[in-house]
Amino acid sequence: MEQFAPVKKKDGQPVRYLVVDDSVFARKNLARMIESFGGQLAGEAGDGCTAITEYDRTTPDIVLMDITMPQMEGIEAAERIVRTHPNARIVMVSSVGYQDNIVAALQRGARHFVQKPVKPEVLYEVIKYVMGEDAAVTTAAGAGS
Amino acid sequence: MRMELIQPFINAADAVLADSLECPTSIGSLSMEEEAYRRKGVAALIAVTGDIEGRIIFDVDPHTAMRVASRFAGEELPKSEELMRETVCELANQVIGNAVTSLNDQGFRFRVHPPEVHTSEKGDKSSEDTEALVISIETSKGKVFMNVAMRYNQAHEQQAAVTRG
């Protein structure tokens, strides 16, 4: 997989991610992308309920959240997380990318939407956008750019 | 079954498989299936409810499933039944999700349910009002079959007619 210039937090620490998807395969694929962005996997969850408890436990910088999942769907989980943690950065990652779904997710607190199959270069740009001024692209030596 | 319901699935399968396998794909054959569905490889079933209802079975040759899994892992993976099932479920999820997105843009509203591994050797027979169409997709890395059995939801259609007056 292509390597990207690492995106680090202001303090030089890697961005920490919580990956939520009912597919182990999809989680592994996203974890590989995160690694190629210089990020760190803080936790994983396979449904919305577990995502909420994992968020409280790991307090990640970004959540990558699937929508169609058993028990509790991603949009509801995102809403519940944002209700408790208003600054949570949640990016919905779903194959179902129609406008109603995107609008519903954004209205309930998600910051962005990426459609599957996920292209690493698209996710990378979204991560930079969502992290905003709290992160910077660094050179391999770690200097900010 | 109307072709307008099928075309988005063919387009989505073509796009997702070409991306996942990194090889050209082509539609091999389309046929109506009257007998019960016979599983050919590793299969996942996704149910759809709403203006259109039914199910799609996504059936992938085990060797092809392992190739997709290995490509996403970035390394050659040892053959694993669980990994193959996971891979096929996620591929099905992506294909059906993309197709549903396209149909939604045409005004249809529905819900996609999480994929389930289809373990039976034979599935239910299709009925007169829910014909199944089998689409064979040829790739240089193996064959993929998609069995689509869907129909317009009559209750939704009647409600829409009442709303239209």
Side-chain angles (χ1 to χ4, degrees), chain A:
Chain A
M1 182 176 282
E2 184 187 346
Q3 281 296 315
F4 294 83
V7 180
K8 302 275 187 188
K9 289 192 283 186
K10 274 181 176 173
D11 60 5
Q13 294 298 306
V15 176
R16 298 170 64 252
Y17 297 78
L18 172 62
V19 177
V20 186
D21 199 304
D22 57 329
S23 161
V24 179
F25 175 77
R27 295 204 300 267
K28 283 193 191 308
N29 192 28
L30 286 171
R32 269 188 76 230
M33 290 185 200
I34 288 166
E35 196 182 326
S36 74
F37 303 159
Q40 189 180 73
L41 190 64
E44 292 184 40
D47 61 78
C49 293
T50 314
I52 294 167
T53 54
E54 277 299 285
Y55 189 96
D56 291 337
R57 190 182 72 79
T58 60
T59 57
D61 299 303
I62 289 193
V63 182
L64 302 180
M65 178 90 78
D66 185 21
I67 291 182
T68 307
M69 291 188 289
Q71 292 183 53
M72 186 192 289
E73 293 214 337
I75 294 177
E76 186 182 347
E79 184 179 29
R80 290 191 185 203
I81 289 172
V82 171
R83 204 183 295 156
T84 319
H85 307 275
N87 294 324
R89 299 182 193 90
I90 301 176
V91 176
M92 307 308 292
V93 180
S94 174
S95 55
V96 185
Y98 51 78
Q99 206 173 353
D100 295 355
N101 240 11
I102 297 172
V103 170
L106 296 177
Q107 282 176 339
R108 297 200 199 180
R111 301 277 184 96
H112 220 295
F113 187 96
V114 176
Q115 188 166 13
K116 290 180 182 177
V118 179
K119 295 195 182 310
E121 62 275 18
V122 172
L123 185 60
Y124 181 70
E125 291 303 321
V126 168
I127 295 302
K128 285 196 294 182
Y129 174 79
V130 169
M131 284 303 292
E133 292 181 354
D134 294 331
V137 175
T138 63
T139 63
S145 61

Side-chain angles (χ1 to χ4, degrees), chain B residues 1 3 6 10 30-33 55 131-135 146-150:
Chain B
M1 190 164 14
M3 206 55 200
I6 297 301
I10 296 174
L30 277 81
S31 58
M32 298 305 295
E33 187 141 293
R55 60 102 182 110
E131 300 159 312
L133 184 75
V134 182
I135 303 145
M146 205 164 45
N147 181 293
V148 184
M150 291 205 303

